[in-house]
Amino acid sequence: MLGFVIQRFLQAVLVMAAMSVIVFCGVYAIGNPIDIVIPPEATQEIREQTIRRLGLDRPLYEQYFIFIGNLLQGDLGRSFVYNIPVLELIGGRLPATLELVLISVISATVLGVSLGIYAGYRPDSWVSKTIMAVSVLGFSVPSFWVGLILILFFAVNLGWLPAGGRGETVEIWGIGWSFPTFDGLSHIVLPAINLALFKLAMMIRLARAGTREVMLTDTVKFARAAGISEGTILWRHLLKLISIPIITVFGLELGSTLAFAVVTETIFSWPGVGKLIIDSIAVLDRPVMVAYLILVAFLFVTINFVIDLVFALIDPRVRHGAAA
Amino acid sequence: MSDTNTPFRRFWTEFRENKVAVFALAVVVTMILLALFASVVSPQNPYDLANLSLMDSRRPPGFVGSGGYTHLLGTDPQGRDLLSAIFHGLRISIQIGLAAGFVSLTIGTALGITAAYLGGRIEALIMRLVDLQLSFPAILLALVMVALLGQGKAQLIGALVAAQYAYFARTAYGAAKAERGKDYIEAALATPLSGRLVVWRHLLPNCTPPLIVVATVQIANSISLEATLSFLGLGLPVTEPSLGMLISNGFPYMMSGRYWISVYPGVALIILIVAINVVGDQVRDQFNPRLRK
């Protein structure tokens, strides 16, 4: 087991190193950041001074090693545009994104599992068929389009909910959060629905497939024979049996929702990390792009590493197969 | 079931039984035709600036513009007739989707089959890479690639391919791996036929059904992904708007109730994507031996 952990850990480190090289070189190759940072009317002297200050006159590999050295000390450079440390910039935006992602994924899971169990428990009722039809739409309709329709319907036509922004925030431990205030909560509803829809469809499918399978097993037959009520069977036995794949997907989806938040945040002008990165790509704010991509890669590598370990703990075939 | 002489006839006879799928196929074909003949069926050439008048911009559906004809779906902020813009946008979206789909299919299949046929270190290397990539969401990969490559048609297709080839590689690998172990391949390899010929004549044709299914779904996905990227302002240049770009252009005007600029291109996009998916579902069911009667 220890060998497996070490092997996977080394693999993760290798992937991170490769990602950092690719991202750094790739981002370096686009545009000329000098033109953005320095106003065109600046004198030659100021130009050269700024280039030297930002380290843009050194060869590429040297810039990379300086970058990695700083990275390992927790310094990801300064944004060209905002002129504040990138980590501070991203850190300031992160709570907004996390709040949105967590609310979406959790509500999608709770609602999706309940609907999915119902659809699996009574597969022939019209309610179940409606649930499944809606879940197909959740899969195939692009999420930015759903966001537009939500805005058009609830914000423009009905005027019930705000179309963008975060609303009133409350400071908890020095960080602003939207969910404790009514105004903030009303701002979060539409983007959360938008972000949750795809996950909801997936959770419905997972829970439905699991339920249909489990309801045919001996466990359920014996429980019924023992006179246990249907409600207890569903809540005590079925839920436990279908939870393993659902927990796995929950973990995986947390990461991909974070990536998808880019789209939702842009539509609803939600001031999170996703909006920041789109704006940064538009103005070629190199340090922010590099830092964001590296952070996301780190997040994904970590999630995959943890999932690999969890699988190895649950399923001995995985760790023996990998060791051989 | 009268004509069962060719595989294609058999396939079509079965396909015809699902009325919804036939309808969806008709929709897809119609949209492809509209895209092909966009310049013939459109009342206006939306790319010719001489045709556009700012007087006509952002007019509601049914407005009779300075060109003397009715704008059935209204006009966009540049004064383009929206119906014409949708036909032309459809052309670009389908073009990009098909191009990205076929390039990904080629690269992915080549990698998957190479891995399955050669085995050993090369297999481990290729598939490890593919699995790693599959663990990242496609939108993120496409976003990174667009950021790295810059904007333009070729770059966009490159980004979509980079985000999608792994699905083909995984599918081709799975199918080829299963076929590779079968006796007929062993028998073919025992003859003096070259390995390359065995792959081309025997291995590849037997791996096509699952690849066709993945291809339909992925073409729909790349159309949708392209629209998303264009909506985020990271897709194509503004001069030749795809459907995503049209939606994006209309977005700022939606707040003031000018819904049509965004909504109609979006409706076209969704009809296209859903129709391709329905056809894809039917094809998958027909190729799935477990569902065969």
Side-chain angles (χ1 to χ4, degrees):
Chain A
M1 185 63 195
L2 187 68
F4 176 78
V5 174
I6 293 172
Q7 186 204 2
R8 281 299 150 102
F9 182 73
L10 287 179
Q11 231 165 36
V13 171
L14 208 67
V15 170
M16 270 315 293
M19 281 298 280
S20 73
V21 175
I22 295 171
V23 166
F24 183 81
C25 294
V27 174
Y28 183 89
I30 38 169
N32 186 356
I34 297 167
D35 297 338
I36 304 153
V37 188
I38 307 167
E41 65 270 16
T43 62
Q44 192 61 27
E45 214 170 311
I46 295 178
R47 271 184 81 91
E48 272 166 18
Q49 222 172 20
T50 318
I51 290 172
R52 242 195 322 273
R53 185 165 54 80
L54 295 173
L56 293 171
D57 55 339
R58 317 245 180 121
L60 189 54
Y61 68 90
E62 233 175 83
Q63 286 193 42
Y64 174 72
F65 282 118
I66 293 171
F67 168 75
I68 286 291
N70 290 339
L71 181 75
L72 293 177
Q73 294 165 34
D75 176 10
L76 286 158
R78 291 175 92 85
S79 156
F80 290 160
V81 176
Y82 300 93
N83 200 26
I84 55 170
V86 169
L87 219 53
E88 211 172 281
L89 190 64
I90 292 183
R93 301 284 201 113
L94 206 55
T97 300
L98 284 182
E99 184 177 27
L100 182 63
V101 166
L102 281 178
I103 289 182
S104 307
V105 176
I106 290 173
S107 46
T109 308
V110 172
L111 194 66
V113 170
S114 329
L115 291 175
I117 289 179
Y118 183 85
Y121 186 65
R122 295 190 192 284
D124 295 320
S125 86
W126 65 269
V127 178
S128 306
K129 284 183 179 150
T130 315
I131 292 173
M132 291 321 288
V134 172
S135 87
V136 171
L137 279 185
F139 269 124
S140 48
V141 175
S143 103
F144 76 95
W145 167 251
V146 177
L148 289 189
I149 295 302
L150 287 174
I151 290 184
L152 183 64
F153 205 69
F154 291 103
V156 179
N157 285 356
L158 294 174
W160 287 354
L161 293 163
R166 252 190 112 178
E168 200 183 319
T169 53
V170 172
E171 294 254 330
I172 301 175
W173 305 308
I175 302 166
W177 301 95
S178 285
F179 69 90
T181 68
F182 182 75
D183 183 51
L185 211 55
S186 74
H187 277 82
I188 216 169
V189 173
L190 288 184
I193 292 177
N194 185 210
L195 198 54
L197 218 60
F198 184 81
K199 317 293 154 196
L200 182 71
M202 184 167 342
M203 285 297 174
I204 288 177
R205 301 222 146 190
L206 263 178
R208 176 175 176 267
T211 306
R212 293 197 70 172
E213 227 168 78
V214 171
M215 289 316 280
L216 298 174
T217 57
D218 291 342
T219 316
V220 173
K221 275 183 205 149
F222 281 120
R224 277 181 176 152
I228 296 173
S229 78
E230 287 291 295
T232 317
I233 292 176
L234 287 184
W235 283 113
R236 295 269 308 271
H237 300 283
L238 176 91
L239 204 58
K240 214 182 271 176
L241 286 168
I242 63 170
S243 62
I244 292 168
I246 289 174
I247 290 170
T248 314
V249 172
F250 180 86
L252 280 172
E253 285 306 301
L254 214 56
S256 84
T257 312
L258 214 58
F260 238 94
V262 172
V263 180
T264 303
E265 283 179 9
T266 307
I267 301 171
F268 292 93
S269 11
W270 186 261
V273 186
K275 180 109 177 51
L276 177 70
I277 185 66
I278 294 290
D279 295 344
S280 302
I281 290 177
V283 297
L284 293 181
D285 193 349
R286 206 150 57 94
V288 180
M289 284 158 76
V290 173
Y292 172 82
L293 293 178
I294 298 237
L295 276 183
V296 171
F298 178 71
L299 195 81
F300 267 91
V301 169
T302 311
I303 290 176
N304 285 337
F305 178 63
V306 171
I307 287 173
D308 271 352
L309 289 193
V310 172
F311 274 157
L313 279 178
I314 296 172
D315 190 343
R317 277 174 305 180
V318 175
R319 57 174 182 262
H320 291 311
Chain B
M1 296 243 175
S2 51
D3 288 315
T4 48
N5 30 11
T6 69
F8 183 75
R9 279 264 171 76
R10 270 206 306 276
F11 186 85
W12 176 238
T13 327
E14 208 183 321
F15 192 93
R16 230 169 30 191
E17 283 170 25
N18 184 345
K19 293 283 180 283
V20 180
V22 172
F23 179 71
L25 184 66
V27 170
V28 175
V29 171
T30 313
M31 290 190 114
I32 290 174
L33 287 177
L34 282 177
L36 273 179
F37 297 104
S39 37
V40 182
V41 289
S42 306
Q44 179 200 64
N45 177 2
Y47 302 149
D48 185 2
L49 290 175
N51 271 338
L52 307 179
S53 156
L54 277 179
M55 295 272 291
D56 295 339
S57 68
R58 305 193 291 273
R59 298 294 188 172
F63 172 79
V64 181
S66 53
Y69 50 86
T70 315
H71 297 290
L72 285 176
L73 299 181
T75 60
D76 81 347
Q78 277 84 42
R80 290 191 193 101
D81 174 50
L82 208 52
L83 188 67
S84 315
I86 288 175
F87 288 154
H88 284 79
L90 208 55
R91 169 147 75 185
I92 293 172
S93 292
I94 291 177
Q95 222 175 35
I96 301 269
L98 284 179
F102 279 112
V103 177
S104 321
L105 173 74
T106 316
I107 295 178
T109 308
L111 282 177
I113 288 191
T114 309
Y117 180 73
L118 293 178
R121 275 238 178 101
I122 296 175
E123 176 185 14
L125 182 73
I126 294 179
M127 292 324 288
R128 197 69 209 151
L129 197 75
V130 166
D131 283 342
L132 179 76
Q133 220 199 300
L134 284 176
S135 65
F136 288 85
I139 176 86
L140 190 71
L141 288 166
L143 207 65
V144 173
M145 291 308 290
V146 167
L148 297 186
L149 296 173
Q151 301 197 334
K153 235 181 213 177
Q155 285 92 328
L156 185 64
I157 293 174
L160 293 174
V161 169
Q164 296 194 311
Y165 83 93
Y167 295 92
F168 290 99
R170 196 94 295 301
T171 313
Y173 173 76
K177 190 82 183 162
E179 296 298 323
R180 178 77 175 80
K182 287 184 182 165
D183 288 343
Y184 77 96
I185 295 284
E186 289 301 327
L189 285 172
T191 64
L193 281 178
S194 71
R196 199 188 335 168
L197 240 110
V198 175
V199 170
W200 274 109
R201 282 236 196 104
H202 301 284
L203 195 54
L204 190 60
N206 283 299
C207 298
T208 35
L211 284 171
I212 293 175
V213 174
V214 176
T216 32
V217 176
Q218 288 302 325
I219 286 172
N221 275 351
S222 53
I223 291 176
S224 154
L225 205 55
E226 181 274 323
T228 307
L229 290 174
S230 292
F231 178 78
L232 293 175
L234 302 173
L236 294 169
V238 204
T239 42
E240 291 191 9
S242 70
L243 290 177
M245 185 71 76
L246 287 174
I247 298 170
S248 171
N249 285 345
F251 183 45
Y253 302 98
M254 220 166 70
M255 298 298 169
S256 51
R258 298 186 180 93
Y259 65 91
W260 59 89
I261 311 174
S262 277
V263 169
Y264 292 131
V267 170
L269 179 71
I270 284 169
I271 293 175
L272 180 66
I273 291 172
V274 172
I276 298 178
N277 275 327
V278 170
V279 173
D281 268 358
Q282 173 66 19
V283 174
R284 177 176 50 215
D285 287 352
Q286 275 181 239
F287 278 144
N288 190 344
R290 269 180 292 176
L291 293 177
R292 287 219 169 273
K293 297 149 228 167

